[in-house]
Amino acid sequence: MPAADSAFGNGEGVNGEVFAMAVQADGKIVIAGQFTAVNGVPRQNVARLNPDGSLDTSWSSQYAFGANGPVYAVAVDSQGGVVVGGSFQSAGDAPRSNLARLDGTSGQVDPAFGGPSENFGTNGTVRAIAVRPDGRLVIGGEFTSVHARARRNIALLQADGTLVEPAGAAESVNGTVRALGVLDDGRVVAAGAFSSPKQPAHGLMVLD
């Protein structure tokens, strides 16, 4: 059985729950969940740790005010940015409906991600994010629209966060998508509690 690294963190940890994490190319760790402090320092639902587990205080002190709701998914995109999803209406000081991109170096919210802010985001919870080899993003969760366009619980986005049009045949499932993973050939595996009107899939399916 693997032994815990007693030197990792050297602090109090989070004062809530961590639901997801992603490791950046430099070894730093982005954690996301439902918390208001990391190692006793204010951080609301998103924070970055150094490789030794200590809090990276250089990563956006503004983001101490964080997402105003739980963050369930985090992924590092093809350009090194950090894409987060959850159940929130703002990130930093910007309006963001359940989805946001943070600069990988500073942690500041990317205002250009997803296009016009008035139609940005989903109308329900984002629970999973996957980055395809071509840089496109797949998001899954509990929603019926993305950027004011009909998408049921799963959707494909361009690398800049805009919606891929037209919708693919698999971009509609009846139920919650809770996890997404990328296969070696670039296809995406979705898992959760759902059925698909386009495929004989129940709780598990592969998307081209």
Side-chain angles (χ1 to χ4, degrees):
M1 186 174 183
D5 182 352
S6 60
F8 184 81
N10 292 320
E12 303 170 23
V14 303
N15 67 341
E17 296 182 79
V18 175
F19 298 133
M21 67 178 68
V23 180
Q24 295 181 291
D26 60 2
K28 294 190 176 184
I29 305 161
V30 180
I31 61 172
Q34 192 165 16
F35 51 81
T36 57
V38 179
N39 292 344
V41 180
R43 288 292 184 274
Q44 191 165 1
N45 302 322
V46 180
R48 188 167 75 171
L49 309 179
N50 294 307
D52 65 1
S54 61
L55 180 65
D56 181 358
T57 56
S58 72
W59 203 62
S60 186
S61 57
Q62 174 195 354
Y63 210 74
F65 302 102
N68 69 342
V71 178
Y72 296 114
V74 57
V76 178
D77 68 19
S78 58
Q79 298 179 332
V82 177
V83 183
V84 296
S87 182
F88 53 83
Q89 294 304 308
S90 67
D93 60 353
R96 289 291 182 272
S97 294
N98 309 312
L99 188 67
R101 182 184 188 272
L102 313 179
D103 183 271
T105 300
S106 69
Q108 299 295 314
V109 176
D110 179 356
F113 183 77
S117 60
E118 63 268 21
N119 293 325
F120 178 85
T122 68
N123 69 341
T125 302
V126 174
R127 295 193 178 274
I129 302 170
V131 182
R132 299 192 343 171
D134 62 4
R136 291 180 173 185
L137 306 170
V138 181
I139 62 172
E142 301 160 333
F143 48 80
T144 57
S145 72
V146 179
H147 304 343
R149 296 297 190 109
R151 296 291 188 279
R152 185 180 295 275
N153 303 319
I154 193 165
L156 179 63
L157 308 180
Q158 303 285 5
D160 64 2
T162 57
L163 196 62
V164 171
E165 297 280 13
E171 289 186 74
S172 176
V173 297
N174 298 320
T176 304
V177 175
R178 296 189 179 277
L180 295 164
V182 181
L183 300 174
D184 289 342
D185 61 7
R187 293 181 299 163
V188 174
V189 181
F194 59 79
S195 62
S196 171
K198 303 293 185 180
Q199 301 181 33
H202 296 277
L204 191 66
M205 63 187 294
V206 176
L207 314 175
D208 290 327

